[in-house]
Each structure stands twice: as structure tokens, then as C-alpha cells.
Amino acid sequence: AQSVAQPEDQVNVAEGNPLTVKCTYSVSGNPYLFWYVQYPNRGLQFLLKYITGDNLVKGSYGFEAEFNKSQTSFHLKKPSALVSDSALYFCAVRDPTGFQKLVFGTGTRLLVSP
Amino acid sequence: EAQVTQNPRYLITVTGKKLTVTCSQNMNHEYMSWYRQDPGLGLRQIYYSMNVEVTDKGDVPEGYKVSRKEKRNFPLILESPSPNQTSLYFCASSPLAGDGYEQYFGPGTRLTVT
């Protein structure tokens, strides 16, 4: 069965420092991987996705993610964090047997301090 | 503006009182889905629909019903709500053709069943 693990419930980083939010996955076949962000009282917003091609994917708001097939990871990164990046981040993998179904991780709360 | 809308955004109800949460999208997407979000569990799929009159169960369908009579609408029905259905609910949509399309999420409906 497809699964996603986000090993950190919370990540704390100072503004201006680089940030990494970790995600590992388990899926049969080619993985389609996504990152979403949830701000308070808002729905999930799409950040970026990996379908095929370059292992470094660039997305919205300066975020990027690195796909590593050998480590089955898809970590989210940003070179310089902003206080406004504080939010809940979800990694998801498309279930290849479930049409467009997404399997989500449990989420990682990112706190960026001034 | 392309969007997924949900109503109501907040709902407090009592056990056993039937309720419907509406979902509508204006992007002509074939695929629509309902998820529930619970702390520590991420998002779990309740039901999905691949087109009008085509619906199927997700991972946690017990206690829920859906219908898809029009392409744009995908209401979630709780015929006899129970306290364990207290949760944050999200509707999502995406194109069905092709691979790797991200899903667009509504703003969420916070449901409390007492």
C-alpha cells in the first residue's frame, strides 16, 4: 500500500535561515509526489510536484523539493525562511491504483521565528 | 477565478441530525473528492467521483454518502452524524485525463457533532 511519512511534527527555524521539511514515501511504480501548504483557516494550497524529469523541482513562494529515488525521499526546502512561511505542510503521493487519489502524510508544522 | 467552494464553513450540530455539506467547482473538472483532516492522521479520503453519476468509496466512507448529479457539485451527506465525525472536511477537484495533475482544495468545513 502507498504511504507517506513526515517524521517531524514540527520544524523550528529562524527567519533568514534555510529550511527543510522531510518526507519519505512508499509506492509501487513511478511516484507522483506533491507538497501542499495549509495556512490557518485556509484550505490546502498546492506548492509543487514531481512527476518525472529533473530531481530538483521548483515551486511557489521560493520553495523547492529534491526527489531522491534511492532514499525514497522528497524533502521540501527553501534557502531563506520567512516568518510568513509558518504553516502546516503536507507531503502526498498519488496512489497509482486509485486514479487521482492522494495519500497524505500527517503534516509538519513549520514555525519561523523573527 | 478558478476555485472550489464549500458551505457551510463552520457547523455545530447534534447527534443524529442529518446534514449536507456542499461543494462546487467552476473548473469543469471530472474528478472530485472528499477528505477529512484529523490531528496526527493527515488527510484521509472519504469518497471520490470520477464523473457525473460515478462515485466510489475512499478509505473512510462509513457514515457518509455522496452524490454527483452535476459535474460541478459534489455534496457530502451525513445522514446520522455522530461525535466521531467531528473533523475538518475538505473537498477537492482535478482534471482526470492525463497524469500528475494537482488537486484544488476548497477552504474546508469545520464540523462539530455534540
Side-chain angles (χ1 to χ4, degrees):
Chain A
Q2 285 61 235
S3 65
V4 172
Q6 294 181 244
E8 301 154 317
D9 290 336
Q10 183 165 308
V11 170
N12 297 305
V13 64
E15 188 172 34
N17 284 356
L19 70 88
T20 299
V21 182
K22 296 179 180 178
C23 171
T24 59
Y25 66 90
S26 173
V27 64
S28 56
N30 294 322
Y32 294 168
L33 297 157
F34 302 81
W35 275 101
Y36 285 84
V37 59
Q38 183 180 22
Y39 297 102
N41 300 315
R42 301 283 297 276
L44 275 72
Q45 296 179 29
F46 168 75
L47 276 180
L48 50 81
K49 65 184 177 184
Y50 172 83
I51 305 302
T52 187
D54 196 346
N55 289 345
L56 185 63
V57 179
K58 295 189 183 297
S60 306
Y61 312 121
F63 283 93
E64 58 189 28
E66 186 169 10
F67 171 68
N68 187 316
K69 188 173 184 178
S70 63
Q71 296 185 6
T72 61
S73 65
F74 190 55
H75 300 332
L76 182 69
K77 300 181 179 183
K78 188 173 182 181
S80 179
L82 299 172
V83 172
S84 57
D85 292 331
S86 298
L88 186 58
Y89 290 81
F90 288 98
C91 182
V93 62
R94 181 187 157 190
D95 183 342
T97 66
F99 300 99
Q100 300 284 31
K101 175 184 175 182
L102 291 177
V103 176
F104 285 86
T106 53
T108 297
R109 186 164 299 282
L110 174 66
L111 289 179
V112 182
S113 55
Chain B
E1 179 190 357
Q3 61 181 350
V4 179
T5 57
Q6 294 178 229
N7 282 292
R9 294 288 312 278
Y10 302 91
L11 180 59
I12 300 175
T13 190
V14 296
T15 299
K17 185 176 182 181
K18 181 179 179 179
L19 66 91
T20 299
V21 183
T22 65
C23 172
S24 183
Q25 51 95 3
N26 62 1
M27 296 167 279
N28 202 36
H29 287 165
E30 295 86 1
Y31 182 89
M32 298 186 74
S33 180
W34 277 102
Y35 296 87
R36 60 177 288 173
Q37 181 184 357
D38 301 291
L41 296 177
L43 280 79
R44 295 176 292 167
Q45 190 182 53
I46 303 171
Y47 268 94
Y48 66 94
S49 169
M50 289 165 58
N51 216 323
V52 175
E53 302 293 359
V54 181
T55 64
D56 208 346
K57 298 177 181 179
D59 295 320
V60 288
E62 295 77 21
Y64 304 95
K65 286 178 58 176
V66 293
S67 69
R68 188 94 180 271
K69 293 184 170 58
E70 303 167 287
K71 196 172 186 179
R72 64 183 292 126
N73 296 324
F74 190 45
L76 180 70
I77 303 158
L78 286 72
E79 295 213 328
S80 184
S82 62
N84 64 12
Q85 293 177 297
T86 293
S87 187
L88 180 59
Y89 292 87
F90 289 103
C91 180
S93 74
S94 74
L96 189 60
D99 289 329
Y101 285 103
E102 63 269 24
Q103 292 186 19
Y104 294 79
F105 283 79
T109 296
R110 186 168 293 281
L111 172 65
T112 302
V113 184
T114 62

